Amino acid sequence: MKVWMTGLHGIKRTAGLAQMMSVDIGRELGFNEIGIYCTGPNFEEPEDQLRARISGTLSAVESNDVVVLQLPSWNTSKFDMELAKGVKRRMNSAHVVIFIHDIGPYMFGHWDELDEWIQIYNQAEVLIVPNHVMKEHLIAHGCTVKKFVYHYVWDNPTDIIELQQPLHEMKKLVQFPSDPNKFQFANSWPSHDIPLHYYSKDQSSNPNLIQHHPLPNEELMLKMHKIGGYGVLWEPPEMKLYWKMNSSMKFGTYLSAGLPILVHQGIAQQEIVSEYHLGKVIETEDEAVDFIDHTTEDEYLELADNVNKMGKLTRNGYFLKQALMEAVYRVFN
């Protein structure tokens, strides 16, 4: 019996990073990669050609193997359905685990387009989901899968020595590794004395923001560690349902970089932040500024020490290793 995991090629943004990071962690557990190329959501091909392509992709799968599908593949939903069905078509005794990274339509506020994805998820014996909120949501919308495994936190593995030590100095600033023009809270950040550092090629007209150009993943974490301060997770109200049930890669990046975290109330990771004292759950930008302004050096260093302890786990891929091993175990038990 072998364990396989799909890995997405041909895409460089966060989605591609998450998939290949997962493949690398899977390799440490003895998983084998099934490479998939991202042709994009608008690429259509005749059904017989699609089926033949997927048949070739899955040609190494043998009897009783476990295949972990990282979905979405960022191809068409038709492709993902054929991929899920193709495992059993290739070898009826093989087992399908679906690792849900995102619910595609929900990322864009299309709340009424879940049905076709439920049909895809129902091809699995085990679903890996971020938390119980997504599990209950899927079941309420027709998911018939009986076995669920939780993947609470995205890891961000790294061997960089400098990241192994907690931050030793409080700096009154916030970091956000994204384009502020896509996030209204960032573009309207209210404090000049407590600036928001962002990482994007696009400029902002807000004088309270400090621009840095995008960096590769490990370089980004090292720079964020050197700059210090806090990381922030924030989503607009209309996306709260999505982020209540989903997991942000920024969260794992902040942990691996050693930054205490300000998390917008209602986002899934707020429970972890509160329980393990990793930062502060906030409702408004002004509340975030007030918290930073009134936090003492000792209080900040205690948060940073707590983050570093959790960061030791994300820097070593602990959360995904745990989820993957449990998923394979649940296939047979």
Side-chain angles (χ1 to χ4, degrees), residues 57-273:
T57 298
L58 299 171
S59 60
V61 175
E62 297 293 347
S63 176
N64 216 38
D65 285 359
V66 177
V67 182
V68 180
L69 305 178
Q70 299 193 78
L71 298 184
S73 71
W74 305 106
N75 293 299
T76 63
S77 56
K78 181 179 178 181
F79 178 95
D80 286 0
M81 174 61 91
E82 284 298 320
L83 184 65
K85 288 183 174 180
V87 175
K88 289 290 188 181
R89 192 179 294 127
R90 161 65 190 166
M91 191 63 62
N92 191 53
S93 62
H95 307 276
V96 178
V97 174
I98 292 180
F99 177 12
I100 300 177
H101 285 223
D102 283 297
I103 299 176
Y106 279 19
M107 294 183 66
F108 308 102
H110 300 157
W111 312 114
D112 58 347
E113 298 181 10
L114 183 60
D115 287 352
E116 65 176 339
W117 286 96
I118 291 293
Q119 294 176 41
I120 295 171
Y121 301 151
N122 283 344
Q123 307 304 311
E125 295 177 45
V126 180
L127 287 179
I128 303 175
V129 298
N131 52 44
H132 67 92
V133 179
M134 181 178 284
K135 171 188 173 181
E136 292 167 2
H137 185 81
L138 295 179
I139 290 173
H141 286 79
C143 182
T144 58
V145 179
K146 302 301 182 184
K147 299 178 181 180
F148 285 80
V149 170
Y150 298 136
H151 174 232
Y152 293 104
V153 175
W154 272 107
D155 301 288
N156 203 331
T158 179
D159 295 323
I160 297 176
I161 295 176
E162 292 91 330
L163 298 181
Q164 297 176 12
Q165 299 300 318
L167 295 173
H168 60 275
E169 177 186 2
M170 180 179 72
K171 295 181 181 178
K172 294 187 176 184
L173 58 90
V174 172
Q175 298 197 61
F176 186 66
S178 193
D179 179 2
N181 295 312
K182 297 179 181 178
F183 295 85
Q184 181 59 36
F185 92 93
N187 226 10
S188 60
W189 185 254
S191 176
H192 183 73
D193 294 331
I194 301 175
L196 186 147
H197 292 243
Y198 72 95
Y199 297 78
S200 173
K201 295 178 181 179
D202 296 328
Q203 294 185 337
S204 171
S205 59
N206 186 341
N208 301 328
L209 272 57
I210 297 175
Q211 181 184 19
H212 303 272
H213 285 285
L215 293 169
N217 182 51
E218 288 193 300
E219 291 180 35
L220 172 66
M221 289 192 290
L222 182 58
K223 183 164 184 174
M224 293 176 75
H225 183 80
K226 290 179 178 179
I227 292 175
Y230 298 81
V232 62
L233 286 181
W234 195 282
E235 295 299 331
E238 64 271 17
M239 295 298 291
K240 278 293 186 70
L241 170 62
Y242 176 65
W243 287 108
K244 188 176 182 180
M245 67 175 73
N246 206 18
S247 188
S248 170
M249 278 203 70
K250 291 185 183 71
F251 188 69
T253 298
Y254 295 146
L255 291 176
S256 290
L259 301 182
I261 302 166
L262 305 175
V263 57
H264 197 189
Q265 190 173 48
I267 291 178
Q269 288 72 40
Q270 72 173 45
E271 295 178 7
I272 298 173
V273 169

Side-chain angles (χ1 to χ4, degrees), residues 30-56:
F31 288 24
N32 303 278
E33 182 188 356
I34 295 175
I36 292 176
Y37 190 79
C38 180
T39 54
N42 299 316
F43 180 78
E44 297 286 348
E45 60 186 317
E47 185 173 344
D48 58 337
Q49 292 183 19
L50 173 60
R51 185 168 292 191
R53 181 156 69 100
I54 288 176
S55 178

